[in-house]
RNA sequence: GCGAGCGUGGCCAAGUGGUUAAGGCAGUGGAUUGUGAUUCCACCAUUCGCGGGUUCGAGUCCCGUCGUUCGCCCCA
């Protein structure tokens, strides 16, 4: 087979699916703008160093999943296709000195990210995220705002039975003390841990907490809890987040074993999961990252954000089976030289006055054209044959009822506002 | 990186070693030279992802390879 195909783990989003993506984008944008978030569009490539420093050299994402390559310059700079979006946004924040514009920046971005992994359900090499960040506030209300936006978006899309898991991973010193406690608890069980976890005991012990290996899970059950090691600041912050979530009626469960895989998280960490996604259950993940901006060379600035995985979201929406019908006002049928010529003008004129019109280009028998009209999803059909073309008339046929009237083309144009007023409620009926 | 399943026309598929590869949907042309969810007819895979092997004979068995799906790892 010599035809060129899409790269493994990438795929075309075809016209039939794009409707869903647009729906997600429209709802997300509306909700974000209501909360005064502004869109930002950073590049998809960055210097490799940004991710190495920002996400952490030891993380799986940086150590084995990045698309990294030298560019064509003499210097052979090392570039990387972004494996996540936050680091690039923070870079943009620092470089453009957005911190000078005001104390808090609320930003959002939708776009692709890239990781070299084995594809499976809900996981691709090129995938898309909706990324939302609040940079410049240490207040727990910022955490709550961000979480509320995430749940609002998912709810507005009609998704139910999602779980919100919440945890606090504390600050630097808290986590250091906990880490030591965890290691000393786990070391006696060293030989019973699964190989991956044994490996992490020295490198990244916190990640052992959410291992799926059954024996490891048993051992971890009675391990010391991160929550017992939170300092008073961290504890107060976490309490306030919980209280306010409750006040907003957002239900959640505290999961002391929720640990996120990127090094930059502090304090609040959260995940929204679904049971309908197979192994990749997380639709939304996020948390606070108070140290990242400074770590990347900016002023000491706290921040919190999340990312929603759009492919995973789309999978859930498909399960809801609510496919909006194609939005088309008129299907224009024409047959015969003069009629076909006129139909182009008719279509153009109607489009310019606000109608959506699909023009049948085949010139085939009326029967065939009506069949296509039927399938197009149009509300009404306009018919232009030789007789109409000669006398400046057009037939208007309502496809649902079969009712048909004849009118002059001039009358048709004059009636456009009335027709649209009739057609759009019909379309709305079809959706609900 | 590891493990398992699957790859037959645009789509869904039957076919498990024996002459010309079912069927359905969609598409095209016609019955109906101007009226659509009905009907009828015709056309639509020199070939079963690709390469090699076993065999008198392979879509069917074996090996490799690519793709895909699900899982591990990890994450959105």
């Amino acid at each position: 087979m010599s035809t060129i195909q899409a790269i493994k783990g990438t795929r075309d989003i075809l016209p039939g699916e794009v409707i869903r993506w647009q729906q997600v984008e429209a709802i997300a944008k509306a909700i974000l703008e209501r909360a005064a978030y502004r869109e930002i569009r950073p590049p998809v490539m960055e210097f490799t160093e940004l991710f190495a420093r920002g996400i952490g050299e030891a993380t799986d994402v940086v150590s084995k999943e990045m698309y990294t390559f030298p560019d064509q310059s003499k210097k052979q700079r090392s570039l990387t296709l972004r494996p996540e979006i936050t680091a690039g946004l923070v870079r943009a924040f620092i470089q453009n000195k957005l911190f000078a514009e005001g104390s808090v920046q609320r930003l959002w971005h939708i776009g692709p990210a890239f990781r070299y992994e084995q594809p499976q359900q809900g996981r691709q090499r090129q995938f898309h995220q909706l990324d939302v960040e609040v940079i410049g506030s240490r207040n727990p209300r910022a955490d709550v705002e961000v979480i509320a936006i995430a749940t609002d978006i998912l709810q507005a899309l009609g998704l139910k039975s999602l779980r919100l898991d919440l945890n606090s991973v504390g600050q630097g010193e808290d986590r250091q003390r906990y880490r030591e406690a965890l290691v000393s608890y786990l070391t006696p069980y060293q030989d019973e841990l699964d190989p991956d976890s044994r490996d992490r005991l020295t490198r990244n012990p916190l990640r052992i907490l959410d291992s799926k290996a059954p024996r490891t899970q048993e051992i971890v059950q009675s391990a010391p809890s991160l929550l017992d090691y939170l300092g008073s600041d961290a504890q107060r912050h976490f309490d306030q987040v919980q209280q306010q979530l409750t006040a907003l009626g957002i239900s959640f469960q505290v999961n002391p074993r929720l640990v996120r895989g990127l090094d930059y998280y502090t304090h609040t960490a959260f995940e929204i999961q679904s049971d309908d996604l197979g192994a990749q259950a997380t639709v939304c993940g996020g948390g606070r990252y108070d140290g990242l901006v400074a770590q990347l060379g900016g002023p000491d600035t706290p921040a919190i954000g999340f990312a929603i995985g759009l492919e995973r979201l789309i999978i859930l929406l498909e399960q809801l089976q609510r496919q909006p019908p194609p939005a088309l006002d008129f299907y224009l049928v024409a047959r015969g030289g003069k009629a076909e010529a006129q139909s182009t003008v008719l279509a153009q004129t109607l489009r310019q006055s606000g109608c959506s019109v699909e023009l049948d280009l085949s010139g085939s028998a009326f029967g065939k054209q009506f069949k296509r009209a039927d399938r197009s999803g149009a509300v009404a059909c306009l018919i232009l044959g030789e007789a109409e073309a000669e006398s400046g008339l057009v037939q208007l046929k309502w496809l649902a009822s079969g009712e048909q009237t004849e009118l002059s083309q001039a009358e048709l144009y004059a009636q456009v506002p009335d027709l649209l007023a009739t057609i759009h409620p019909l379309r709305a009926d079809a959706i609900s």
Side-chain angles (χ1 to χ4, degrees), chain A residues 178-194:
Chain A
Y178 175 67
R179 187 188 158 116
E180 285 160 16
L182 182 64
V183 171
S184 54
Y185 166 80
L186 285 173
T187 305
Y189 297 103
Q190 200 165 347
D191 296 336
E192 297 176 56
L193 296 174
D194 61 284

Side-chain angles (χ1 to χ4, degrees), chain A residues 60-299:
Chain A
D60 284 40
V61 169
V62 171
S63 64
K64 56 183 202 196
E65 294 174 358
M66 296 207 299
Y67 277 94
T68 294
F69 52 93
D71 77 359
Q72 306 275 9
S73 75
K74 295 217 170 58
K75 292 181 191 156
Q76 297 268 299
R77 292 167 294 209
S78 178
L79 306 185
T80 292
L81 260 24
R82 62 183 183 194
E84 55 100 55
I85 292 175
T86 302
L89 287 191
V90 169
R91 196 226 79 236
F93 172 86
I94 296 168
Q95 180 178 339
N96 298 290
K97 303 204 186 328
L98 299 183
F99 46 83
E101 278 188 25
S103 56
V104 176
Q105 283 289 321
R106 292 180 164 89
L107 302 172
W108 66 274
H109 173 69
I110 284 184
F114 306 84
R115 287 182 203 169
Y116 189 85
E117 298 185 276
Q118 286 310 314
Q120 67 186 69
Q121 158 121 283
R123 197 176 67 192
Q124 286 170 264
R125 291 183 175 182
Q126 174 173 346
F127 59 103
H128 298 78
Q129 291 188 331
L130 164 63
D131 206 72
V132 173
E133 313 287 351
V134 176
I135 308 179
S137 173
R138 207 174 292 280
N139 198 312
R141 285 154 62 217
D143 306 38
V144 172
E145 176 174 296
V146 148
I147 293 171
I149 285 172
T151 54
D152 267 2
I153 290 172
L154 298 171
Q155 202 169 22
L157 287 165
L159 297 178
K160 297 189 171 66
S161 65
L162 298 174
R163 289 189 312 280
L164 170 60
D165 275 25
L166 193 66
N167 194 21
S168 172
V169 296
Q171 305 180 75
E173 318 83 68
D174 307 343
R175 197 153 37 176
Q176 190 53 41
R177 288 193 305 128
Y178 175 67
R179 187 188 158 116
E180 285 160 16
L182 182 64
V183 171
S184 54
Y185 166 80
L186 285 173
T187 305
Y189 297 103
Q190 200 165 347
D191 296 336
E192 297 176 56
L193 296 174
D194 61 284
D196 285 318
S197 295
R198 207 176 305 141
D199 204 44
R200 287 197 199 104
L201 200 52
T202 48
R203 217 168 331 129
N204 195 353
L206 296 212
R207 293 217 50 80
I208 298 174
L209 292 176
D210 57 9
S211 167
K212 284 181 191 165
R215 179 58 189 142
T216 302
Q217 276 186 330
E218 278 175 39
I219 295 170
V220 156
Q221 282 295 329
S222 38
S225 168
L226 222 173
L227 296 175
D228 295 331
Y229 284 77
L230 294 182
S232 58
D233 284 358
Q235 188 61 58
R236 194 177 325 117
H237 187 99
F238 192 39
D239 287 345
Q240 287 181 22
V241 170
Q242 293 183 57
Q243 279 164 23
Q244 291 183 33
L245 284 175
T246 306
L248 290 182
I250 296 172
S251 51
F252 61 90
Q253 63 182 49
V254 172
N255 174 359
R257 291 200 295 277
L258 170 62
V259 180
R260 308 201 31 81
L262 311 182
D263 282 354
Y264 52 62
Y265 287 109
T266 56
H267 289 287
T268 309
F270 68 95
E271 262 181 23
I272 299 176
Q273 301 197 327
S274 165
D275 291 329
D276 304 321
L277 282 173
Q280 259 59 45
T282 305
V283 213
C284 174
R288 184 163 271 285
Y289 50 95
D290 288 347
L292 183 60
V293 179
Q295 194 182 321
L296 291 176

Side-chain angles (χ1 to χ4, degrees), chain A residues 20 316-324:
Chain A
R20 281 218 165 75
L316 294 174
L317 290 178
E318 272 164 5
Q319 291 169 0
L320 293 179
Q321 293 287 353
R322 274 207 259 127
Q323 176 76 296

